[in-house]
């Protein structure tokens, strides 16, 4: 056994680092899109949402929404500029709300929640939904245009897509409503990095369904080939189009299925974490004595 003397400064620094971890944990919480300064906007999306702000939503009482596309023949995307680290166990839980409005020529082509290795690209227009060709990547598509066999000949489906390929590895052919109806959809995407299981849920309200709409086993870190992941949304339109809006988005950098999307993280736990952090800082300020630890 060896006794070493370290300064209280170092000790308090070490303690604050431990306590600070929850503060640094990723919790993205957009209850509206009044501020888009954290995003990199690509393709048409940058021209639709100007001044680092989303556009006013289409429904009475709406705040600003992230409008990915708004006309025919477009491709666009919005990714968080800062990467999300998959270095620990790669798990995450996410919730988002979306709506397709003002359909032109039947409404198309949908949106994709995408995870890729850069923030500044959008993929193919039309049936590519702004995602086609983005590789390596994984995407969760909500597709309202039937492009044939790859879509299961279904103009109202969801799918899990890999590496920018529009032929989904998993497809859900029955959704709770028509995407073209203007209904507001609520989606959950959960990834458990310990089991490699990706699950997608869909509802018409904030109640997270017990049963997954789609699930797929995938080694996300192996697929991407990096622990830096960029998270966001893509959209595309072709002969037909629509306003493709993301209305809310919550992303938690741990496996922690979001059961209260309007109040992620809760109102009690976050101030608690900050209080602990403040105590550590207080200790840093007051203590100047040497401390002993035994190794
Ligand atoms: Ca349609
Ligand atoms: Ca399609
Ligand atoms: Ca599809």
């Amino acid at each position: 056994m060896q006794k070493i003397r370290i300064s209280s400064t170092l000790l308090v620094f070490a303690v604050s680092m431990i306590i600070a971890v929850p503060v640094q944990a990723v919790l993205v919480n957009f209850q509206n899109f009044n501020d888009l300064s954290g995003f990199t906007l690509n393709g048409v999306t940058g021209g639709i949402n100007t001044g680092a702000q989303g556009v006013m939503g289409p429904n009475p009482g709406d705040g600003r929404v992230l409008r990915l596309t708004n006309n025919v023949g477009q491709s666009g995307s919005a990714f968080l500029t800062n990467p999300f680290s998959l270095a620990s166990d790669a798990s995450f839980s996410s919730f988002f709300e979306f709506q397709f409005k003002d359909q032109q020529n039947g409404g198309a082509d949908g949106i994709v929640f995408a995870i890729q290795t850069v923030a500044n690209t959008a993929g193919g227009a039309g049936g590519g939904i702004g995602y086609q060709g983005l590789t390596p990547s994984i995407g969760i598509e909500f597709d309202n245009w039937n492009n044939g066999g790859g879509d299961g000949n279904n103009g109202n489906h969801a799918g899990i897509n890999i590496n920018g390929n529009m032929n989904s590895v998993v497809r859900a052919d029955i959704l709770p409503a028509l995407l073209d109806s203007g209904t507001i959809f609520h989606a959950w995407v959960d990834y458990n990095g310990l089991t490699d299981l990706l699950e997608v849920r869909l509802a018409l309200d904030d109640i997270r369904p017990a049963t997954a709409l789609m699930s797929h086993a995938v080694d996300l870190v192996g697929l991407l080939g990096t622990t830096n992941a960029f998270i966001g949304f893509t959209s595309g339109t072709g002969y037909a189009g629509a306003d493709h809006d993301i209305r809310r988005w919550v992303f938690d950098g741990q496996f922690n299925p979001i059961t209260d999307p309007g109040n992620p993280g809760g109102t009690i736990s976050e101030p608690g974490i900050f209080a602990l952090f403040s105590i550590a800082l207080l200790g840093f300020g007051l203590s100047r004595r040497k401390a002993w630890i035994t190794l």
Side-chain angles (χ1 to χ4, degrees):
M1 194 173 288
Q2 185 191 4
K3 243 182 177 182
I4 59 166
R5 199 169 79 151
I6 64 164
S7 77
S8 59
T9 302
L10 268 176
L11 185 61
V12 170
F13 177 72
V15 170
S16 357
M17 289 306 286
I18 293 164
I19 293 172
V21 167
V23 176
Q24 292 170 337
V26 175
L27 180 62
V28 171
N29 181 11
F30 288 98
Q31 295 294 315
N32 57 57
F33 290 92
N34 292 338
D35 181 359
L36 292 182
S37 58
F39 285 90
T40 299
L41 306 179
N42 309 295
V44 298
T45 306
I48 295 171
N49 307 269
T50 56
Q53 284 197 307
V55 301
M56 290 306 295
N59 315 293
D62 275 352
R64 291 180 185 272
V65 300
L66 169 60
R67 182 159 295 166
L68 297 163
T69 49
N70 67 353
N71 209 334
V72 298
Q74 295 181 329
S75 166
S77 73
F79 283 89
L80 289 178
T81 303
N82 290 328
F84 165 57
S85 175
L86 304 173
S88 53
D89 70 0
S91 297
F92 67 83
S93 286
S94 190
F95 164 88
F96 54 93
E97 196 180 281
F98 64 90
Q99 183 179 30
F100 303 164
K101 289 276 280 185
D102 293 334
Q103 282 78 8
Q104 299 135 1
N105 300 333
D109 281 271
I111 62 161
V112 179
F113 172 70
I115 301 174
Q116 61 163 336
T117 58
V118 294
N120 60 354
T121 57
I129 319 183
Y131 173 76
Q132 189 168 30
L134 299 185
T135 187
S137 72
I138 189 160
I140 314 300
E141 66 164 32
F142 297 93
D143 183 336
N144 55 330
W145 188 265
N146 173 9
N147 291 93
D151 282 347
N153 297 306
N154 181 347
N156 193 66
H157 64 274
I160 298 175
N161 299 355
I162 303 287
N163 290 342
N165 187 332
M166 302 315 288
N167 292 319
S168 305
V169 293
V170 179
R171 205 178 58 242
D173 285 322
I174 298 174
L175 305 184
L178 282 176
L179 295 165
D180 281 336
S181 64
T183 301
I184 296 170
F185 285 83
H186 304 234
W188 289 257
V189 179
D190 296 286
Y191 180 67
N192 186 333
L194 302 177
T195 61
D196 284 353
L197 187 64
L198 178 75
E199 289 190 323
V200 180
R201 287 170 168 77
L202 195 61
L204 303 183
D205 55 31
D206 269 359
I207 300 169
R208 183 176 181 272
T211 307
L213 176 74
M214 300 184 289
S215 61
H216 182 59
V218 58
D219 173 3
L220 192 54
V221 175
L223 174 75
L224 296 178
T226 172
T227 52
N228 269 357
F230 293 86
I231 307 147
F233 299 90
T234 75
S235 178
T237 63
Y239 160 77
D243 289 350
H244 291 102
D245 294 347
I246 308 299
R247 302 173 51 79
R248 292 194 282 160
W249 182 29
V250 177
F251 182 94
D252 190 344
Q254 59 185 326
F255 184 79
N256 184 26
I258 294 159
T259 53
D260 188 0
N263 185 24
T267 53
I268 296 169
S269 62
E270 282 184 86
I273 289 164
F274 284 116
L276 281 172
F277 188 55
S278 306
I279 288 165
L281 290 176
L282 188 66
F284 181 83
L286 295 181
S287 173
R288 286 278 172 253
R289 288 177 301 135
K290 298 289 182 186
W292 291 90
I293 59 169
T294 303
L295 299 177

